[in-house]
Amino acid sequence: MTESTESEKHTIDLRQFPGVMENLPCCFYIAEGKEPYRLLYANEQTIRLLDCRDLEDLYRHTAGMAFHFIAMDDRARIKQDILHALAKTPEGFNHARGHLFTRTSRIRYADVSGRRVQTEAYGPVYYCTIQEIDIPRPGVVVDRDIRDRVIAHLDEAIEKHWIQVYYQPVIRTMTGELCGMEALARWIDPEIGFLSPGSFIPVLEQVRLIHRLDGFVFEEVCRMLRQRLDENLPITPVSFNLSRYDFDMMDVFAFIENTRRKYAVPRDFLHVEITESVLAQDSHVIQQALTHLRQEGYEIWLDDFGSVYSSLNILKDYTVDLIKLDMGFLRNFTEKSRSIISSVIAMAKDLGIKTLAEGVETQEHADFLASIGCGRQQGFFYGKPRPLAGTLAHIREERRGIEQRKWCHYYDVASMVIRQTDRTSALFDALESGHIRFLYTNRAYREQLQALGYRLQDVEENLSIKGKTEVYDFFWEGINRSRQSHKEEAFYYIDSGNYVNTRLRVVYAMNHHLLVHVEFQNISRSIEGLQQGKLDAHLRYLYSIFEHVCIVDFQQDTIDPLYVQGGMMGNDGKPGVTHDIRKALQEVAQEFVYEEDRARYLAFCDTETVVERIRKSPYGRISCRFRVRDRQGKYEWRECIAILLSSGTHPLMLTATWVVEAPTLLPEGTAATSKDFAALLWQSFQRNTRFRYFWKDKERRFLGATKSFLKYYGFQSVDEIVGKTDEDMNWHVDNNAYRLDELDVLHKGKTIENVVGECIIQGELHHITCYKWPLYQNGEIIGLMGVFVDVDAMYRDLHQKLPSPFEDTITGLHNRQGFLSDLTRYQEAYTMDKQDYALILLESRFDKHIQDSYDSSFLRVLVREEADILRRHTGKGAAISRIQNATFAILRRETSHKESEELARELQYRLQAIHEVAGNPVTITYGYSIVHSDEPAIHHLSDTSISHIYRLALERLRHKD
């Protein structure tokens, strides 16, 4: 509003408005009857209600717009309601209710009514009255005095801990253990008493102070977790709530991350809860903050899922880790709500999202959620919100354990596997030592098991005690095959005359435990097995004649052996489903089929033509003979017959292979000429020798190398080295020594023998010994040939595969001893040839809780992943060592200090970007230090030994703490 407009409003003549008195005994104002609905007049009561000093102050506060009386959250809705009412009744509107926008941000809730009046000066206007009322909340009436007290005493309530953090337990459905807690604010006022969240949270949101409450709760959670970690007490992840106004009032990511760092709490123990209504705002600021939080390792939980109309759009637009089903689904627990909950849980699993149901109040609720595979549960059935001590005491009273950190991902994966199905379905927890227990069974599984005459405990016992039943061997062999293939495997067995088909898949392996999903079918009683007698006779006939009997399913792309007796399947007579038919046939051809027969074998098995060839055969079958290598290495003739079991749109083929009594044939051929034979020998030599030969031209450029040489350096083709020198490849610590040796060979005809050196392969420094000699043509040197031996590998071979004294057994990098040897070489090269280098030390500020939470196998995986990151990003010209635990050293030649600094920062960033290992969440923090070979700080000291250089790097590393 302009100054002239304000002046005009201040001197308005009320006589222009018929029937208006200046001293009306209520809040009254006048607004124009068209957009933008300018404020024309407001009386003293209205000015006071909105906490303004005078009419001019009111104009500034509302920008002269009548609808600006209404708070921003309600403004669009109120305007829409009023315009909708006027469209029906142009004479006026009644009882539009919402929050007022007061100058001091005090909460006021009012009822607004208005009538249309025609004036000569302004045309149609609206006479409006405002009546302040209480905020209508279901079951709760917030007194105006309470609202004012909440606003005025928030800081005091935080400082004096009138506001306390309560914790409500979250229970793992599959185990019944405590797997998390939700942090909730409670206000216990010394004058008023206990204030419900509905009494103070909406108030603080309205006046934009909610960020101070949420910040206080989050810091209290971090303080609690740090205290329990310091006292070596068990902890569990805690979720905390964020309001949409938090994102307007502060940098949410910076606040959360800075507070977490202050208390050194792992990110995976802090889960961010955000309601659907917040995400429905479609705010770029909110989306950016949540994305940043998730990228840094925080889980984002979507609260009250299903409470607003835009639930599916939110899942489309945002990436969340878990959804909390709104408690309203369970409050009205009907068949329809059950169906909705089941569908939501299934959809979440399809999207890879974990699930938690709120509002669990009865055993019926809990059992239903368990049956559909809801991962976690929360509600009064498991415990109401209490102070921490009360919640933990309740958990103890209920005889519930606290889930260890290392099992969180294991059971998350297990919950994802459970799906509603009419087929049998069971989930086993199998120890690698041979013991199993059920985690889940559906009704179909239990019923079919009972029909076979077994109880669940019978199955656990039979599959845990070796030799008790023959099924034990089939079951564990199937597990071993599935671990290797990473696919579902199957086996058949006979139980009291019943043919039983069992399919299993190892879903996940961790901490020496295997998560195994199992389905089984009693073929004898199934629809497919009604002709039991006929089936039995046919199977016995096939088994008596053939070595291998298989079903090939082209649609599923699987080979399912019905019977295997030794031979080329390599499964010790125990069949397993093979996936990817073409790949499997290629592997069999390469591994077992005689070389001259391979092309014929693959043509016979060609999946593109085999069905049509069978259909065109007058006998309804096709066959082929080829030679197969047995376990003794002898090739014998086999015949394979293929017929169609089903020839519709989903053809199934049965193949049967048997021994053909025919003599083993030797390959035929003609005698090769001497020239051809020499070429054949050279070609064979390049391909098959284990020694790493290479040859160069007179300019020391590579002309070629053996396959073993290329493999050693990680090259796919000789083209990657042809035309390049050692300096181009930059794979020696001291290129100059090798260059001088080769010049002696090329210009003096010397033969170089047993020259020791070091080369760098994928970040690892290897000790080698090298031999080189000249190549002559017509008496002139035209190049050189050489070979080298990896001394470290030779050492291991000579000492029965023991690790090199320089090698770290976990990562394959150099160990401390190897590092000191490398440092000696680099320092010598600097001293003698002024080849500058840098030493970078990287050390994990190791989250001790990682060591306490996970076993040694997990820690080894973590260290290997860290080593792999260093290999990928350090470059070929550097030597990497693992000094101890998670302390790494990098030695690299450098051309400037800046490039080493940039590399150290990049490596620190990439290592700290590890937020999970094998699905398990971790929080990693790394520090680094650098020593440059040309630093005056080194050369001004009398002690310039490698031990001093290393100690200097350590001191700088510790100083950064």
Side-chain angles (χ1 to χ4, degrees):
M1 178 179 290
T2 65
E3 287 292 326
S4 60
T5 305
E6 287 187 12
S7 176
E8 180 185 349
K9 297 298 181 292
H10 299 168
T11 59
I12 199 165
D13 186 357
L14 286 181
R15 288 176 296 181
Q16 299 177 81
F17 300 101
V20 175
M21 293 171 39
E22 187 168 357
N23 297 317
L24 288 173
C26 63
C27 296
F28 174 80
Y29 68 92
I30 301 174
E32 277 190 339
K34 58 184 178 181
E35 289 280 5
Y37 303 102
R38 288 188 305 152
L39 178 64
L40 300 177
Y41 169 78
N43 67 359
E44 287 293 331
Q45 286 89 337
T46 303
I47 294 171
R48 287 197 301 271
L49 178 65
L50 295 174
D51 293 332
C52 293
R53 292 181 291 271
D54 49 35
L55 190 57
E56 183 179 354
D57 195 19
L58 177 63
Y59 278 124
R60 280 197 301 268
H61 176 62
T62 61
M65 304 300 172
F67 274 111
H68 286 193
F69 282 16
I70 308 300
M72 286 184 289
D73 292 344
D74 294 343
R75 192 174 297 163
R77 175 183 60 81
I78 295 297
K79 185 174 182 179
Q80 184 179 8
D81 290 347
I82 290 175
L83 294 179
H84 183 70
L86 291 175
K88 291 184 177 180
T89 311
E91 290 77 15
F93 62 91
N94 294 300
H95 306 304
R97 296 182 173 184
H99 293 89
L100 297 180
F101 179 49
T102 66
R103 187 180 64 83
T104 60
S105 297
R106 289 156 65 89
I107 296 296
R108 293 288 182 259
Y109 196 80
D111 179 296
V112 182
S113 297
R115 65 185 179 90
R116 190 173 186 272
V117 177
Q118 187 68 32
T119 66
E120 291 185 7
Y122 296 97
V125 299
Y126 287 98
Y127 291 2
C128 302
T129 60
I130 305 175
Q131 176 65 45
E132 186 179 6
I133 60 175
D134 287 324
I135 300 175
R137 299 187 69 82
V140 178
V141 176
V142 180
D143 186 89
R144 191 179 312 157
D145 293 334
I146 293 178
R147 297 200 298 268
D148 293 343
R149 181 170 178 81
V150 165
I151 297 168
H153 293 274
L154 175 62
D155 291 338
E156 185 179 7
I158 290 174
E159 181 183 350
K160 296 182 177 179
H161 286 271
W162 300 348
I163 298 176
Q164 298 181 15
V165 179
Y166 278 36
Y167 297 89
Q168 186 171 26
V170 175
I171 302 300
R172 177 75 64 185
T173 303
M174 194 165 285
T175 64
E177 291 186 329
L178 178 74
C179 67
M181 297 184 293
E182 180 180 4
L184 301 163
R186 295 294 184 265
W187 187 317
I188 300 116
D189 195 277
E191 294 186 11
I192 301 175
F194 188 89
L195 293 180
S196 72
S199 299
F200 61 91
I201 289 179
V203 174
L204 296 176
E205 287 189 325
Q206 182 66 30
V207 297
R208 304 300 190 269
L209 294 175
I210 190 67
H211 66 287
R212 288 159 66 179
L213 173 68
D214 290 343
F216 167 74
V217 170
F218 179 69
E219 184 148 5
E220 287 296 292
V221 168
C222 290
R223 182 181 290 111
M224 178 274 293
L225 290 172
R226 182 70 263 160
Q227 180 180 350
R228 292 186 68 83
L229 285 170
D230 291 342
E231 296 174 2
N232 201 28
L233 296 172
I235 65 172
T236 190
V238 179
S239 62
F240 60 95
N241 294 275
L242 291 180
S243 164
R244 57 179 163 173
Y245 302 110
D246 293 337
F247 297 88
D248 297 331
M249 306 306 295
M250 64 179 178
D251 184 335
V252 168
F253 173 80
F255 171 76
I256 290 175
E257 184 63 3
N258 291 338
T259 306
R260 182 202 68 80
R261 287 178 179 171
K262 174 181 175 182
Y263 294 96
V265 175
R267 294 185 185 94
D268 48 292
F269 279 94
L270 300 166
H271 302 328
V272 181
E273 285 202 33
I274 200 89
T275 61
E276 279 192 322
S277 59
V278 174
L279 299 187
Q281 300 298 310
D282 193 26
S283 165
H284 175 70
V285 173
I286 295 175
Q287 188 170 40
Q288 189 176 42
L290 293 180
T291 299
H292 199 178
L293 284 166
R294 194 168 184 277
Q295 287 174 342
E296 291 302 314
Y298 296 93
E299 285 196 6
I300 306 300
W301 290 12
L302 181 57
D303 197 10
D304 298 334
F305 183 81
S307 61
V308 299
Y309 70 92
S310 55
S311 300
L312 298 181
N313 278 332
I314 290 170
L315 291 184
K316 174 177 66 70
D317 297 334
Y318 288 86
T319 300
V320 299
D321 298 283
L322 178 144
I323 59 173
K324 296 182 72 172
L325 273 71
D326 184 64
M327 61 181 65
F329 286 117
L330 292 177
R331 190 179 296 120
N332 183 23
F333 199 51
T334 63
E335 193 60 40
K336 181 179 289 186
S337 68
R338 286 186 179 91
S339 179
I340 293 173
I341 294 172
S342 300
S343 299
V344 170
I345 295 292
M347 176 194 66
K349 291 179 181 181
D350 289 339
L351 296 173
I353 300 173
K354 295 174 283 192
T355 53
L356 186 159
E358 292 185 285
V360 180
E361 297 182 354
T362 67
Q363 186 68 55
E364 183 184 13
H365 291 165
D367 291 343
F368 168 73
L369 293 168
S371 72
I372 61 173
C374 180
R376 312 176 199 199
Q377 301 182 30
Q378 179 181 352
F380 277 31
F381 181 71
Y382 296 108
K384 64 182 181 180
R386 295 180 173 91
L388 180 66
T391 293
L392 295 179
H394 176 72
I395 291 299
R396 288 193 296 271
E397 290 170 4
E398 294 283 309
R399 299 183 181 277
R400 299 185 187 276
I402 298 179
E403 182 176 276
Q404 295 181 32
R405 187 186 194 189
K406 65 182 179 180
W407 295 115
C408 177
H409 183 63
Y410 186 81
Y411 289 118
D412 282 338
V413 173
S415 298
M416 288 286 186
V417 175
I418 299 172
R419 299 298 180 104
Q420 282 193 297
T421 177
D422 294 332
R423 303 194 306 270
T424 61
S425 179
L427 205 57
F428 289 95
D429 175 31
L431 274 70
E432 291 178 343
S433 59
H435 180 79
I436 71 108
R437 67 185 177 98
F438 281 106
L439 293 177
Y440 167 84
T441 58
N442 69 354
R443 185 170 65 181
Y445 185 95
R446 295 190 296 272
E447 288 176 351
Q448 287 219 28
L449 196 65
Q450 186 177 12
L452 288 172
Y454 295 103
R455 303 167 301 169
L456 294 178
Q457 53 265 42
D458 296 331
V459 175
E460 289 181 336
E461 183 177 330
N462 291 342
L463 298 182
S464 298
I465 302 176
K466 185 174 177 61
K468 186 173 178 66
T469 64
E470 67 172 349
V471 180
Y472 177 96
D473 294 328
F474 284 108
F475 180 79
W476 285 98
E477 177 64 25
I479 285 179
N480 292 333
R481 289 200 309 271
S482 181
R483 292 190 73 178
Q484 294 173 7
S485 69
H486 304 289
K487 296 176 181 177
E488 184 182 79
E489 299 291 345
F491 60 87
Y492 297 80
Y493 66 94
I494 300 175
D495 185 290
S496 302
N498 294 298
Y499 284 95
V500 180
N501 174 21
T502 300
R503 296 179 179 271
L504 61 81
R505 178 168 61 96
V506 176
V507 179
Y508 189 60
M510 179 183 158
N511 300 324
H512 306 294
H513 285 247
L514 308 173
L515 199 59
V516 185
H517 182 252
V518 177
E519 298 179 3
F520 79 91
Q521 182 183 28
N522 184 350
I523 299 177
S524 306
R525 298 190 180 185
S526 66
I527 297 175
E528 295 87 349
L530 289 177
Q531 302 297 327
Q532 172 60 32
K534 188 175 181 179
L535 172 68
D536 181 76
H538 287 179
L539 287 177
R540 294 181 188 279
Y541 171 74
L542 289 173
Y543 295 168
S544 67
I545 296 178
F546 296 101
E547 279 190 322
H548 310 111
V549 180
C550 301
I551 298 292
V552 181
D553 188 329
F554 294 100
Q555 182 169 322
Q556 299 296 325
D557 198 21
T558 59
I559 302 174
D560 190 354
L562 295 178
Y563 177 72
V564 176
Q565 183 181 8
M568 61 183 177
M569 298 305 291
N571 283 332
D572 298 326
K574 297 172 184 177
V577 175
T578 299
H579 300 262
D580 194 340
I581 298 172
R582 290 185 178 181
K583 180 181 177 182
L585 294 174
Q586 286 286 348
E587 289 175 352
V588 168
Q590 292 297 320
E591 181 71 17
F592 296 102
V593 178
Y594 190 64
E595 186 173 2
E596 290 186 359
D597 298 342
R598 286 174 191 165
R600 187 170 69 256
Y601 168 80
L602 291 172
F604 170 73
C605 300
D606 182 9
T607 57
E608 298 292 333
T609 63
V610 66
V611 172
E612 192 61 28
R613 283 185 281 126
I614 295 175
R615 286 173 176 166
K616 289 182 177 179
S617 170
Y619 308 104
R621 67 178 184 274
I622 59 174
S623 64
C624 179
R625 293 190 176 192
F626 45 85
R627 284 160 286 190
V628 175
R629 179 172 54 82
D630 62 19
R631 293 178 179 176
Q632 288 73 43
K634 181 182 178 182
Y635 284 95
E636 293 185 334
W637 284 96
R638 300 289 196 279
E639 182 174 16
C640 181
I641 300 174
I643 63 173
L644 291 180
L645 297 180
S646 170
S647 59
T649 57
H650 182 185
L652 293 176
M653 182 174 72
L654 179 119
T655 65
T657 306
W658 61 314
V659 177
V660 178
E661 296 296 338
T664 303
L665 299 179
L666 294 175
E668 299 177 358
T670 58
T673 66
S674 176
K675 183 177 179 181
D676 290 340
F677 190 66
L680 179 64
L681 286 178
W682 175 244
Q683 185 181 33
S684 176
F685 170 77
Q686 291 185 70
R687 264 201 324 258
N688 300 311
T689 181
R690 295 179 58 192
F691 295 100
R692 302 170 186 102
Y693 284 90
F694 57 92
W695 42 100
K696 299 182 177 183
D697 64 17
K698 202 164 183 179
E699 303 302 323
R700 301 179 51 248
R701 296 174 300 206
F702 281 95
L703 295 172
T706 59
K707 185 177 180 181
S708 178
F709 179 100
L710 299 175
K711 182 179 179 182
Y712 183 79
Y713 281 104
F715 295 118
Q716 300 299 317
S717 168
V718 71
D719 294 336
E720 296 180 63
I721 65 170
V722 169
K724 298 178 182 178
T725 65
D726 285 340
E727 289 78 25
D728 295 328
M729 304 309 297
N730 195 30
W731 50 26
H732 296 307
V733 173
D734 185 1
N735 281 322
N736 192 47
Y738 284 104
R739 184 179 66 85
L740 294 175
D741 282 345
E742 291 185 355
L743 290 176
D744 283 345
V745 173
L746 292 168
H747 298 300
K748 298 179 181 179
K750 286 188 176 181
T751 297
I752 304 299
E753 295 184 352
N754 201 26
V755 175
V756 177
E758 298 84 26
C759 65
I760 297 171
I761 298 120
Q762 297 180 355
E764 298 175 28
L765 192 144
H766 288 240
H767 297 82
I768 62 172
T769 182
C770 195
Y771 302 79
K772 298 173 186 175
W773 56 91
L775 291 176
Y776 289 92
Q777 187 177 52
N778 298 325
E780 291 188 9
I781 297 175
I782 62 169
L784 66 83
M785 190 169 187
V787 64
F788 70 88
V789 177
D790 188 314
V791 177
D792 296 332
M794 181 183 294
Y795 181 92
R796 287 194 298 270
D797 291 340
L798 292 175
H799 292 267
Q800 299 178 344
K801 300 298 182 180
L802 289 176
S804 162
F806 302 109
E807 183 179 300
D808 175 53
T809 56
I810 294 177
T811 63
L813 301 174
H814 268 185
N815 56 20
R816 182 187 180 90
Q817 184 174 346
F819 160 70
L820 294 175
S821 175
D822 298 342
L823 183 55
T824 300
R825 301 292 185 186
Y826 273 83
Q827 182 62 20
E828 286 178 353
Y830 172 77
T831 303
M832 298 177 66
D833 301 320
K834 294 301 179 184
Q835 295 185 29
D836 293 332
Y837 72 92
L839 166 61
I840 302 173
L841 283 189
L842 288 153
E843 182 178 63
S844 174
R845 308 303 196 239
F846 216 76
D847 173 10
K848 184 177 181 299
H849 201 66
I850 292 180
Q851 299 181 65
D852 297 337
S853 300
Y854 298 111
D855 61 16
S856 58
S857 62
F858 175 89
L859 297 177
R860 286 194 293 271
V861 172
L862 172 58
V863 170
R864 288 190 196 104
E865 184 168 334
E866 292 170 329
D868 288 342
I869 288 174
L870 296 179
R871 284 192 184 96
R872 288 197 298 271
H873 299 286
T874 300
K876 289 186 176 181
I880 313 169
S881 304
R882 176 173 173 253
I883 308 296
Q884 61 181 1
N885 295 332
T887 302
F888 297 92
I890 297 168
L891 288 163
R892 64 184 305 273
R893 289 201 296 272
E894 66 176 3
T895 57
S896 70
H897 291 191
K898 181 181 178 181
E899 67 180 16
S900 294
E901 291 282 351
E902 290 175 348
L903 175 63
R905 284 194 295 271
E906 180 187 359
L907 295 175
Q908 180 190 44
Y909 169 77
R910 292 187 179 279
L911 290 168
Q912 292 180 165
I914 301 175
H915 299 309
E916 66 174 39
V917 177
N920 297 278
V922 293
T923 300
I924 305 294
T925 305
Y926 260 85
Y928 70 86
S929 67
I930 305 177
V931 174
H932 305 279
S933 60
D934 60 354
E935 286 187 40
I938 296 177
H939 304 293
H940 287 168
L941 300 174
S942 58
D943 182 7
T944 57
S945 66
I946 61 168
S947 60
H948 171 72
I949 296 171
Y950 176 46
R951 285 198 305 271
L952 181 60
L954 282 176
E955 288 172 7
R956 291 178 178 178
L957 193 63
R958 301 293 182 258
H959 182 69
K960 282 196 172 186
D961 290 343

